[in-house]
Amino acid sequence: MNNHKQQKLLEYFYSSLDENVIDELTEEQKESIEHAIIATGLGSNNRVDIRKSISVFNKRYFFVFLLGRDYRQQLRKESPFALLMLTFLISIGIFCILGLAVFALYLIKSALGIDIFHNFSFGVWDWFKELMQH
């Protein structure tokens, strides 16, 4: 994160604190807090930073997708729910890729005229040929 963004982030942090609390902090405490804010990557630049919210049935939901290098010194402990969601998403991705691979192999098999089951067809090759003619 560049120095200008760091400075803006720290200014925002201090503006949200009570003035009495800021006055009671020593310079060493302020430096430690500033270092912690910068080290945790709050407000950092990521290669991919997608933050969207959507309305569903008069309620707003958000999702965030961040992708970039992790500069933090300490690793956070992952919650069991986060690990479950990651496993779920990876599994769905793998199943989608496998499904597309099977579909592509089926189309290749059909294009080569290979019949595995005599007088039986799923109709996918006919559908694909018809789709390509339009």
Side-chain angles (χ1 to χ4, degrees), residues 43-61:
S44 66
N45 276 342
N46 294 297
R47 293 260 182 215
V48 178
D49 187 343
I50 301 171
R51 300 165 193 250
K52 299 288 180 190
S53 63
I54 48 177
S55 257
V56 178
F57 301 116
N58 294 330
K59 293 188 180 190
R60 297 195 53 79
Y61 296 94

Side-chain angles (χ1 to χ4, degrees), residues 32-50:
S32 181
I33 289 170
E34 291 171 6
H35 178 71
I37 290 172
I38 293 168
T40 56
L42 296 175
S44 66
N45 276 342
N46 294 297
R47 293 260 182 215
V48 178
D49 187 343
I50 301 171

Side-chain angles (χ1 to χ4, degrees), residues 2 6 10 15 21-22 39 41 49 51 54 66-67 69 73-75 86 105 107:
N2 66 29
Q6 289 176 352
L10 294 175
S15 70
V21 173
I22 295 173
D49 187 343
R51 300 165 193 250
I54 48 177
L66 301 174
L67 182 66
R69 186 166 174 211
Q73 299 295 326
Q74 290 180 315
L75 295 177
L86 181 63
L105 289 172
L107 288 178

